[in-house]
Structures are given as structure tokens and as C-alpha cells.
Amino acid sequence: MKRNIQFIVLFLSIMLALQAQTKRPLQLEDMFNIKRVSDPQLSPDGKTVAYVIGVVDKAANRTNTDIWLVPAVGGASTQLTNSPKADRHPRWSPDGKTIAFESNRNGSLQIFTINVATGETNQVTNISSEASGAIWSPDGKQLAFYSAVFPEFSDKPYADADALNKQKQDARDNTKMKARVMTKLLYRHWDSWVDDKRQHIFVVNTDGTNPRNVTPGDRDAVPPSSTFSTGDDFSFSPDGKEIAYTATPIPVHEESWSTNHDILTVNLSTGEKKQITTNLAADVFPQYSPNGKYIAYRAQSRSGFEADRWQLMLYDRTAGTTKSLTTKFDTNVNEFMWSADSKTLYTSAEEKANTPLWSVGIDGTVKKAFDGGNNAEANISADGKLLVFTHQTMSRPVEIWSANSNGTNGKALTNVNNDIFSHVEMSEPEYVWFDGANGTKVQMWIVKPPFFDGTKKYPLVYWVHGGPQGAFGNGWSFRWNQQLWAAQGYVVALPNPRGSTGFGQQFTDEISRDWGGKVFTDVMSGVAYMEKQSYVDVNKMAAAGASYGGYMMNWLNGHTDKFKTLICHDGVYNFSSMYGVTEETWFDEWEHGIPWETPDYDKFSPHRYAQNFKTPMLIIHGELDYRVPVGEGFSLFTTLQRKGIPSKLLYFPDEGHWVLKPQNSEMWHITVFDWLKEYLK
């Protein structure tokens, strides 16, 4: 018997070794073959989850999305839509028989409905300015959506306004004269020109009749900035008589330097608007409680600071009073959903580089509902027993998961990428802490190459994240993927220094007006930590970062020579030039001050230390980046070239702050990896 057991153990060991040998490192092509899962929506009866799968078509240079269904208890998924264009944003009708979604299958982006049982599809809207973000009225007879229109026509009857919108847009598109005239900020945003349009909310009957603009005027009813947008940015009251929404700052000429968004309601019968918030900072994402007593929303308290802590607020519709439910919850509340009994809200919020799900009672009680990894887009069943949400880690991209509302029995409902990952050897990220500036503890992730051998030494690539108020969380990225970089044979270190979110608001605050101060100490302390690791080749180290991370690459070049090379993607180089060409000026004014009012405005500007530059650099920038405009990259490249420092500029004429097109992404990765090989191998 003993010999048999020994034989079995030996046999299993051999089989496991053989299985390991059949695996391979993650490859760039895998990133295009991995399906992108998002937007889970639990049906009203709690039995089915609708969600979206995106499939990359690299040859066509785009990603196609379709809607799928999976049983909430688990089981086989079925494809609901199957057009060669985008089908996305599924939302269940109150009776659970129909799903509304947006699609460009017929050319422009419009709202459709599909019968879940029969697959019969109907186009609801045909608005010239396109339609997005549909939600259902409580009685299932109407849909609300938003569209970007010219505000000067918005008070006219729908048909007249739509015709005038089309006429004006066609004239702009068809003229050979492409000049623009601007009289106020914001005139462009992230990667698009605003062209004096406003995002308004429309309501239409589900059969397509009686469409109407319910938020006319020269003010957005949906935040145009992702900073202030979270999921469905407006909602119907339970009785269907009004809609609550988020309006952008007034007076409108201050939009570029004010973060003062407010919550308004509009009576759908009379058109009367009512402002229910007076906070001078941002109030966003209003959601009615099912019993109609409350409107919950997210709010910040400091005007002008886009990274202030988001709290969960509760507005009593009868008393007209407001209170915070999360005064002692020292992190940002993200999107949330009400429980059916109107007593609890479920949300996601960062906690030290992970993002658990949380329950928040209307009495202010906050409890962790599900932990581990990065979790978001929570749905709660009507009986309050089942959570459905997205779940991801650094080792696996998003899948749809479910768990009991007490956090138990967490499991994947979808496994759309199992086939790919069954053949890939992944490296489990390490979670460590080190001492930063003033002895403050700083968290860092370490991702080692697959098939790591602790007796060998590996080159180090040290990342710095963007934001700067952001974090390297336990999630998957298709743009900067630490596992893919590690698969090139590098140890990848990802610190969360000053300015990072999820470690308390004070830690986040301590980067403002101090971009090259304590955070630089944190960054270099992380480098020192890695230099002490026996497996790191201290003579072969590189650093890379985007946005603020790109800024830090420029700062590093003026303040250290530890790195063989630096990679700067869309990084800030010159504070003075940056202020005049960026779009959301509130950001620069909070982080550095107003140039003509702040004597040391450019104290931490990298261009001031160009005389110290000596490290070779790869610079990447997109023409359509209006947040950190392309001149920042050009100026940096000119400086390096003029000084005779080895440097390369990768320029994308059709990309903004992020490189999104598949073929451009491929070029981005090839260029980056080839550059690293030149200096680290």
C-alpha cells in the first residue's frame, strides 16, 4: 500500500510538472484575443444577468460589443445580440421581458429594445445627434436617454429642433472651411471638441413616439467629464413623475475652473426644474430610493478639487434635508445601488489597493460586503440576498461574479477567457510596504516574470501611476498590463506613493502643490526597497509612467541617474505652457496655483531642471490629448535632442490621452518593448 501511494504521488508530480511545461508567458497577441466583459445587469426577478462582451477586431481597428445573458445561479451563457457593430448598455424593463440598449448597427448610435424571449428588436430613437444611456421609466412605458445638441434650438418642438441640429451639423461637416470660433471655456474636452453642444436628457415612449427634450438650455444635464460621471447619471422617480440629474456649473463661463455640479429634478409634466443641492463642490449621480422617500447621491466638499473624497449623501425629499452617510468612511464612494427595501445601498470603494464592495445603511452603518481584488458595478437582488458584480485582479481580467450579500459563496458566473489563461503562466503579484517620506508606510505591488527563478537576477521596470490622485489597484489593464511587461523578462514594481487613493484622504491630499516633494521621496524609497532584493539587477533598471507618471519620468531625469532609460507617455513637462492649453483648468489651479498669482507656480516643473537631463527617453504622445496637450511631449523631445541625449518620439495623430485603437496599441507595445530591450538586455 505504501509503495502504491508513493507511486501515485510521483505520478501526480510528474503530471503537474508536464502541465507546467506546456504553459507559456503572456503574449501581446493575447491582449487582443482576451474578451472584455462589462456592465452586468441583474433582471428584476433576480434570475438572469445581462452583460456585455467586447471582442477586438484588430484588422478593422475596433472592438465589437454584444449583449449576453447568464443565469444568476451560474450556467451556460447565451448571446442575445449579434450585430457587427456596437450593442451595449443593456437595461432591463421593469417587467423583465425586454432589454433596452444602444447600438450603431444602422449607422448612428441609437436606442433599441429587444424581446428577451423572441429576440425581436425594435429601434426606438432616430435622433440626428445620436442617443446614449437609456433607462426605463418605472411603468415601462417610456425611456430616458441623453444626446449632445445645440442648446439654441433646445426650446423648440422636438422635430424642429432635431432638423435644425442636423442642418447645423451637416453644414459644419460638409464645409471646406474648418475654422472654429470660441468665446468661452471649455471649448474642447479630453479628446473631442465640444463645439458649443450640450448633453441634454430626452424622454420617449417605448414605441418611439413623443420624443422630447426635458432639460433644454445652455447647461449640460449629464457630466461631460469622466471625473463627475458614474454609471447612469440620471434616474426616474418611483412614480415616474420626475427625473433627477446632474447639471454642470453656472455661470457657464466658469465651467473650466469650477467643479460645482448640482443635483436638479425636472417635473416631466410641467418642465419645472428644482435644484436640491447648494454645496459649492460637486454633487453627482442622483438615485431615488425605491420607496420614493430619498435621493442618494455622491458629493465632494472642497470646490475646485477633482480628487476630493466622494461621500454618499442622502436627501430627504419631504423634509428637504441632507446628510452624509459616510462621514467616517475615509475613502471614495463609487457607483451605488439601492436595496429594494430602501434601507441599504451597495457600493464599491478602494481600500489599500483593493476595491471591496460595501453596504451602507441609511443610518450610516458601513460594512464590507465582499472583499478581494477589484469589484464594481454591484447589483443587489430584490430579496436582498444576492450580489452580482464585476470582479478582476492583476492576474485575470473582468468576469461577472455573484456572492451572497453577506460576502459568502463568491463565484464566477462567466469564464469567457478560461481557454486563453489555461495555457498562460501568470505571476502572482506580491503586496509589500516600505517606509516613505517622514516614515509614512507606502504600499507597492511586485510582479515577477513567469517561471521566476530566485537564484537569478532580473532587470527592473519601475512604474509610476497617473492621476496623480489614482492608484495601482488589484485589477487588469489592457493599456498598461504589468503581467505582459513581466512576461518580457522584467520584474515590475508598482508603488502607490503620496497622492494615491484608497489610503485615506490625507495621503491623497499630500501631493497637491508638492508634485516633486514628498512623493518623490516615496518613489525613490520604493526604488531603494527594490535595490535590496537579491533578484534585482541594480545595473539594469528602467522607469515608466503615463500622465502624472509621465511627469515623474521627466522629474526623475532632472534628479537621479539611477535608471538606464525612462519612458514618458503623455507626461507634463512645462507647468506654464500646460496651464494655457489644458481644458479643465481647475486641475492645474488646485495642484499648482494660478500662474499670475502664485510666485512659485512652476517650482516643481521638470523643464526647469533640463540642464541635469542625461538619461535616454522614449516619449509617447497623442495629437488628440487635450488634457496634457501634445506640445508637452514635443517640448520634451526637442530638449533631449538639442542636448544630444538618445531619445525617440512615438506620435499618434489619432489618439488622445489613452491609446485605444487596436493597431495603435500594438504599435505602442512593440515600440516600448523594443526600447526596453535596447537598454536592459
Side-chain angles (χ1 to χ4, degrees):
M1 177 64 72
K2 186 176 181 180
R3 285 190 174 182
N4 288 339
I5 293 174
Q6 290 174 336
F7 176 78
I8 292 171
V9 171
L10 178 61
F11 176 76
L12 291 175
S13 299
I14 293 172
M15 292 302 296
L16 288 171
L18 289 172
Q19 183 179 9
Q21 290 174 8
T22 62
K23 289 193 173 185
R24 57 171 176 76
L26 189 68
Q27 298 172 359
L28 176 56
E29 195 61 26
D30 293 325
M31 304 301 287
F32 304 112
N33 292 329
I34 293 170
K35 296 175 181 177
R36 291 107 191 271
V37 179
S38 64
D39 204 4
Q41 298 293 317
L42 185 61
S43 61
D45 63 8
K47 294 181 179 181
T48 309
V49 182
Y51 62 99
V52 176
I53 291 181
V55 178
V56 172
D57 184 343
K58 193 167 63 171
N61 209 24
R62 63 182 183 85
T63 299
N64 178 51
T65 53
D66 280 298
I67 299 168
W68 289 66
L69 303 175
V70 65
V73 295
S77 295
T78 57
Q79 188 169 352
L80 184 64
T81 67
N82 189 20
S83 80
K85 296 294 185 69
D87 296 330
R88 64 194 186 206
H89 196 265
R91 295 298 181 268
W92 292 91
S93 61
D95 63 9
K97 296 180 179 180
T98 308
I99 288 177
F101 64 100
E102 60 189 47
S103 176
N104 61 352
R105 57 178 60 192
N106 292 337
S108 63
L109 195 64
Q110 302 293 339
I111 306 302
F112 292 75
T113 59
I114 184 169
N115 185 296
V116 176
T118 67
E120 180 184 358
T121 303
N122 294 301
Q123 183 171 337
V124 178
T125 65
N126 191 27
I127 185 170
S128 65
S129 48
E130 302 193 316
S132 297
I135 61 171
W136 292 84
S137 63
D139 62 6
K141 295 180 179 180
Q142 298 181 102
L143 290 163
F145 64 91
Y146 68 89
S147 184
V149 298
F150 294 107
E152 62 266 32
F153 308 134
S154 58
D155 282 317
K156 297 182 180 296
Y158 173 84
D160 295 341
D162 191 45
L164 290 167
N165 270 284
K166 186 177 187 307
Q167 180 181 351
K168 185 171 182 177
Q169 188 61 54
D170 285 348
R172 285 187 173 184
D173 293 342
N174 296 329
T175 181
K176 294 182 179 180
M177 192 281 296
K178 300 300 180 182
R180 287 180 167 94
V181 177
M182 283 75 73
T183 58
K184 63 179 178 62
L185 306 176
L186 298 157
Y187 54 85
R188 59 183 188 176
H189 206 223
W190 279 114
D191 62 357
S192 302
W193 288 83
V194 175
D195 288 334
D196 295 323
K197 289 185 175 181
R198 293 293 188 181
Q199 294 190 143
H200 286 175
I201 298 172
F202 291 74
V203 173
V204 62
N205 294 339
T206 54
D207 63 1
T209 60
N210 194 27
R212 58 200 186 279
N213 187 336
V214 299
T215 59
D218 188 19
R219 197 176 184 188
D220 288 294
V222 175
S225 171
S226 57
T227 301
F228 307 105
S229 178
T230 307
D232 296 334
D233 290 303
F234 49 95
S235 62
F236 278 97
S237 59
D239 60 10
K241 294 182 179 180
E242 68 182 35
I243 285 177
Y245 64 96
T246 301
T248 45
I250 53 172
V252 296
H253 73 275
E254 295 184 5
E255 285 179 90
S256 175
W257 60 90
S258 172
T259 62
N260 185 23
H261 293 63
D262 280 304
I263 306 297
L264 277 69
T265 62
V266 57
N267 185 302
L268 297 180
S269 296
T270 67
E272 180 184 0
K273 298 175 184 176
K274 176 184 177 182
Q275 183 172 322
I276 66 171
T277 61
T278 56
N279 171 34
L280 295 179
D283 306 302
V284 302
F285 195 62
Q287 303 293 313
Y288 290 88
S289 60
N291 63 11
K293 185 176 180 180
Y294 305 108
I295 295 177
Y297 60 95
R298 301 167 69 227
Q300 297 178 320
S301 58
R302 288 178 284 181
S303 179
F305 186 24
E306 69 171 9
D308 193 24
R309 179 165 65 103
W310 287 105
Q311 298 188 54
L312 182 55
M313 310 297 292
L314 194 68
Y315 171 74
D316 188 313
R317 297 177 69 200
T318 301
T321 56
T322 301
K323 67 176 181 179
S324 172
L325 301 179
T326 56
T327 53
K328 297 180 180 180
F329 189 50
D330 195 12
T331 187
N332 293 301
V333 170
N334 295 320
E335 77 292 336
F336 60 83
M337 182 179 185
W338 280 96
S339 62
D341 62 7
S342 299
K343 295 180 180 180
T344 308
L345 301 104
Y346 290 87
T347 186
S348 63
E350 291 174 288
E351 183 186 51
K352 299 177 181 177
N354 283 283
T355 306
L357 298 179
W358 308 79
S359 66
V360 182
I362 60 173
D363 62 355
T365 302
V366 180
K367 297 179 181 178
K368 193 176 294 184
F370 186 81
D371 203 2
N374 184 321
N375 307 282
E377 300 181 274
N379 292 242
I380 183 71
S381 60
D383 61 10
K385 295 181 179 180
L386 183 69
L387 286 167
V388 171
F389 50 95
T390 58
H391 174 81
Q392 59 180 310
T393 67
M394 282 189 176
S395 301
R396 287 296 290 265
V398 170
E399 297 284 1
I400 309 302
W401 275 48
S402 69
N404 296 332
S405 57
N406 63 4
T408 61
N409 196 32
K411 64 178 182 179
L413 298 181
T414 64
N415 290 285
V416 302
N417 293 302
N418 270 10
D419 183 58
I420 290 176
F421 286 98
S422 67
H423 301 290
V424 174
E425 177 73 12
M426 303 294 283
S427 175
E428 188 63 29
E430 295 182 27
Y431 183 98
V432 303
W433 295 84
F434 61 85
D435 290 331
N438 303 327
T440 300
K441 294 293 183 182
V442 177
Q443 187 272 333
M444 180 165 62
W445 298 98
I446 303 172
V447 182
K448 298 173 182 175
F451 309 109
F452 175 77
D453 183 346
T455 66
K456 295 181 179 179
K457 287 187 178 293
Y458 294 85
L460 171 72
V461 181
Y462 192 83
W463 285 8
V464 179
H465 66 66
Q469 294 88 1
F472 285 127
N474 192 5
W476 187 267
S477 172
F478 287 99
R479 295 194 302 272
W480 286 67
N481 187 282
Q482 56 276 11
Q483 294 280 1
L484 182 61
W485 286 52
Q488 311 307 306
Y490 307 120
V491 171
V492 183
L494 303 90
N496 281 312
R498 291 302 200 291
S500 298
T501 52
F503 299 88
Q505 189 60 41
Q506 180 179 341
F507 192 78
T508 303
D509 289 349
E510 287 184 348
I511 196 172
S512 298
R513 306 280 177 116
D514 192 38
W515 273 30
K518 291 186 292 296
V519 60
F520 176 64
T521 301
D522 290 349
V523 166
M524 296 310 296
S525 296
V527 175
Y529 179 96
M530 295 306 301
E531 287 177 313
K532 294 176 183 177
Q533 308 309 306
S534 62
Y535 53 82
V536 170
D537 186 342
V538 297
N539 296 312
K540 293 182 179 179
M541 300 194 301
S547 197
Y548 173 82
Y551 157 86
M552 182 52 71
M553 297 306 105
N554 301 334
W555 186 256
L556 288 173
N557 210 344
H559 292 82
T560 182
D561 58 1
K562 280 184 174 291
F563 300 102
K564 291 295 184 183
T565 188
L566 302 165
I567 298 175
C568 172
H569 176 107
D570 290 355
V572 179
Y573 175 63
N574 185 327
F575 285 7
S576 296
S577 61
M578 168 77 175
Y579 177 84
V581 290
T582 193
E583 10 82 291
E584 294 180 349
T585 56
W586 67 68
F587 175 79
D588 263 17
E589 291 182 4
W590 184 274
E591 294 301 312
H592 312 304
I594 299 174
W596 53 90
E597 296 179 359
T598 311
D600 62 348
Y601 174 83
D602 64 350
K603 175 182 178 181
F604 293 110
S605 181
H607 84 283
R608 294 187 58 187
Y609 301 90
Q611 70 272 16
N612 301 330
F613 286 6
K614 58 177 70 74
T615 305
M617 293 190 77
L618 171 63
I619 304 146
I620 307 169
H621 226 106
E623 179 68 37
L624 305 181
D625 185 355
Y626 303 147
R627 175 55 49 88
V628 183
V630 70
E632 296 296 293
F634 288 168
S635 295
L636 172 61
F637 183 60
T638 297
T639 300
L640 294 167
Q641 288 284 305
R642 185 65 179 83
K643 287 176 64 66
I645 298 171
S647 49
K648 179 183 288 187
L649 173 64
L650 175 59
Y651 165 77
F652 290 103
D654 55 346
E655 296 284 6
H657 202 58
W658 305 281
V659 175
L660 300 177
K661 295 180 174 66
Q663 292 180 21
N664 288 343
S665 176
E666 184 175 50
M667 177 65 177
W668 186 96
H669 281 92
I670 290 172
T671 304
V672 166
F673 293 157
D674 284 348
W675 183 265
L676 287 174
K677 285 179 186 177
E678 184 176 345
Y679 287 93
L680 297 187
K681 291 189 176 180

